[in-house]
Amino acid sequence: FATTALAVRALKKWATPEQAERAEKRVAAARGWLLKARAVDTEDRVFRLFGLKAAGADERDVAAAAWDVLKTQRADGGWGQLDALPS
């Protein structure tokens, strides 16, 4: 998830005008993957959210990804790196 999110940001920021069409196809493919892939830990959930936002996903999909992060927040306000670990 982290690699995909960072790659999307790089493509959006650094693709030249000549590369724009190819870059957008790859961003669309990444968006599709991010929408389908299941996050298994906190890092995955956070970078899935970042990636969907960067890739221009629908606001409903971004909000759902944000909820996936928020619903794993602990009573102390933090998150565990893994679901079984403390904050």
Side-chain angles (χ1 to χ4, degrees), residues 1-3 39-50 69 80-82:
F1 288 89
T3 303
V40 296
D41 60 25
T42 300
E43 182 177 333
D44 285 354
R45 286 186 283 271
V46 168
F47 277 100
R48 181 174 181 266
L49 172 59
F50 288 161
V69 174
Q81 184 176 7
L82 301 174

Side-chain angles (χ1 to χ4, degrees), residues 4 7-8 11 19-32 55:
T4 301
V8 165
L11 285 168
Q19 297 167 326
E21 184 178 334
R22 289 182 296 157
E24 187 49 44
K25 285 181 185 178
R26 283 159 179 79
V27 168
R31 183 173 52 246

Side-chain angles (χ1 to χ4, degrees), residues 3-87:
T3 303
T4 301
L6 295 172
V8 165
R9 288 185 51 116
L11 285 168
K12 301 281 273 184
K13 174 92 173 151
W14 300 107
T16 65
E18 297 81 21
Q19 297 167 326
E21 184 178 334
R22 289 182 296 157
E24 187 49 44
K25 285 181 185 178
R26 283 159 179 79
V27 168
R31 183 173 52 246
W33 181 82
L34 288 164
L35 287 168
K36 293 176 187 174
R38 297 199 46 91
V40 296
D41 60 25
T42 300
E43 182 177 333
D44 285 354
R45 286 186 283 271
V46 168
F47 277 100
R48 181 174 181 266
L49 172 59
F50 288 161
L52 286 170
K53 183 69 175 173
D58 183 80
E59 285 301 315
R60 288 176 302 171
D61 294 320
V62 173
W67 178 246
D68 285 343
V69 174
L70 286 173
K71 69 184 179 185
T72 61
Q73 188 174 20
R74 307 292 168 72
D76 66 3
W79 285 263
Q81 184 176 7
L82 301 174
D83 290 341
L85 295 177
S87 303

